[in-house]
Amino acid sequence: MAYETILVETRGRVGLITLNRPKALNALNSKVLEEVVAAAEAFDENAKVGAIVITGSEKAFAAGADIKEMQPKTYIEAYMEDFFADWERLTRIRKPVIAAVAGYALGGGCELAMMCDFILAADNAKFGQPEITLGVMPGMGGSQRLTRFVGKSKAMEMCLTGRMMDALEAERSGLVSRVVPAGELIEEALKVAGKIAEFSLPAVMMVKETVNRSYEMTLAEGLRFERRVFHSMFALADQKEGMAAFTEKRSAQFRNR
Ligand code: HXC
């Protein structure tokens, strides 16, 4: 498929999606939504891909939803088309999705990064929910996911003031897993994704599903869910291989089943 707003490639077993609207700082319009979701779903179905990386440019991961596209929208249009609800399809991707964020991740850009399974940040990354400065509020999960990541006080301050958080504050607050020098971001993201993609794919997918359940369940239910999934892993050929390889002091050759 030919894409207009993103670049799509595979590097080994990693699917790489690069937002590519440099003149608009990768602002997220309807086309970007359609294309990112389609590319991610195609990678999810591609047996040769084990993990996905979403990134932008060194200046901007994405500076938010496209304000120029949104400006003339009426309430009835936004409601009837369920404006931007389709971004939720990204959260139904079953393989790991890593956001590699450099530069601005604002509004919908920050929300897109938070839809991914974890965020690797460049040291120049800036995160924020500036919607209040436009007379609106987060609409792609910012009020909910940011609060779960960084806690109520910081999320409330960021959503109410539009203040940006730099990479170190984002790491300290639990928004990002790690900060790396901007020039090494893509290489590091591909390395991490490549490592994940070498493991047993069913095991990786079960880990993702189970960690994500912790946002939806009580602790007791989550622990039971974890244990049941763990039990089911003894049906995997890859469990037999992984444990045999350990005892035989060799590296495992996972067959993804
Ligand atoms: C449309 C955008 C844009 C955006 C930047 N541009 N952000 N276009 N939507 N979100 C465009 C600018 O209009 C400009 O185009 C070009 O990109 C370069 O931007 P500059 O502002 O000239 O760059 P700079 O001075 O470096 O400032 C960078 C910036 C600023 C601080 C990131 O661009 C900015 O504040 N952008 C808006 C950030 C924002 O408010 N995001 C939240 C959007 S609401 P021209 O043609 O003039 O050169 C949102 C809601 C999500 O995300 C919920 C949806 C359901």
Side-chain angles (χ1 to χ4, degrees), residues 23-25 27 59 63-68 70 83-84 104 106-108 111 130-131 134 138-140 164:
K23 287 185 187 144
L25 301 184
K59 174 154 189 198
D66 191 318
I67 300 167
K68 293 162 193 169
M70 284 188 293
F83 179 55
F84 268 14
Y104 296 111
L106 303 178
E111 293 169 303
E131 290 89 344
L134 301 168
M140 280 167 56
M164 290 186 212

Side-chain angles (χ1 to χ4, degrees), residues 17-256:
I17 299 172
T18 306
L19 304 176
N20 188 32
R21 294 188 71 208
K23 287 185 187 144
L25 301 184
N26 292 330
L28 307 171
N29 62 15
S30 308
K31 195 73 188 167
V32 179
L33 159 59
E34 184 190 315
E35 294 191 342
V36 170
V37 169
E41 287 176 348
F43 281 144
D44 212 24
E45 284 166 19
N46 181 346
K48 293 189 179 129
V49 168
I52 299 164
V53 172
I54 300 181
T55 195
S57 68
E58 191 158 336
K59 174 154 189 198
F61 176 73
D66 191 318
I67 300 167
K68 293 162 193 169
E69 184 184 68
M70 284 188 293
Q71 188 186 356
K73 216 174 261 304
T74 63
Y75 165 72
I76 196 67
E77 285 165 354
Y79 179 78
M80 292 308 281
E81 72 187 67
D82 206 1
F83 179 55
F84 268 14
D86 269 353
W87 277 113
E88 288 292 328
R89 279 164 57 193
L90 201 61
T91 64
R92 292 198 286 276
I93 299 297
R94 298 178 72 204
K95 292 172 184 169
V97 183
I98 301 165
V101 174
Y104 296 111
L106 303 178
C110 185
E111 293 169 303
L112 169 59
M114 290 191 291
M115 282 178 202
C116 299
D117 295 308
F118 61 93
I119 303 173
L120 276 184
D123 51 13
N124 73 341
K126 283 190 183 301
F127 299 87
Q129 298 290 161
E131 290 89 344
I132 194 71
T133 67
L134 301 168
V136 291
M137 61 176 278
M140 280 167 56
S143 66
Q144 306 302 302
R145 290 198 179 94
L146 186 64
T147 309
R148 281 166 167 79
F149 277 113
V150 307
K152 177 181 165 185
S153 195
K154 215 174 254 291
M156 193 69 96
E157 187 207 344
M158 287 179 69
C159 292
L160 286 176
T161 66
R163 177 176 78 80
M164 290 186 212
M165 210 190 248
D166 67 18
L168 289 182
E169 185 181 1
E171 184 184 32
R172 201 166 63 233
S173 315
L175 179 57
V176 310
S177 68
R178 271 186 305 126
V179 179
V180 300
E184 294 167 23
L185 178 69
I186 296 299
E187 194 187 317
E188 186 59 24
L190 290 171
K191 197 166 119 194
V192 176
K195 182 183 171 94
I196 294 169
E198 279 172 17
F199 292 128
S200 163
L201 182 59
V204 161
M205 290 167 66
M206 288 179 199
V207 168
K208 168 169 173 162
E209 183 180 1
T210 306
V211 173
N212 278 334
R213 296 303 286 176
S214 69
Y215 279 105
E216 312 287 349
M217 287 179 156
T218 63
L219 179 60
E221 287 168 338
L223 291 171
R224 178 184 292 270
F225 184 85
E226 179 194 73
R227 206 159 55 242
R228 290 293 173 253
V229 176
F230 174 69
H231 294 161
S232 75
M233 287 173 151
F234 289 86
L236 295 177
D238 286 341
Q239 173 267 332
K240 304 290 175 248
E241 167 61 11
M243 293 193 182
F246 177 82
T247 52
E248 291 161 17
K249 299 188 189 296
R250 59 177 175 82
S251 55
Q253 300 294 316
F254 293 119
R255 286 181 293 153
N256 292 333

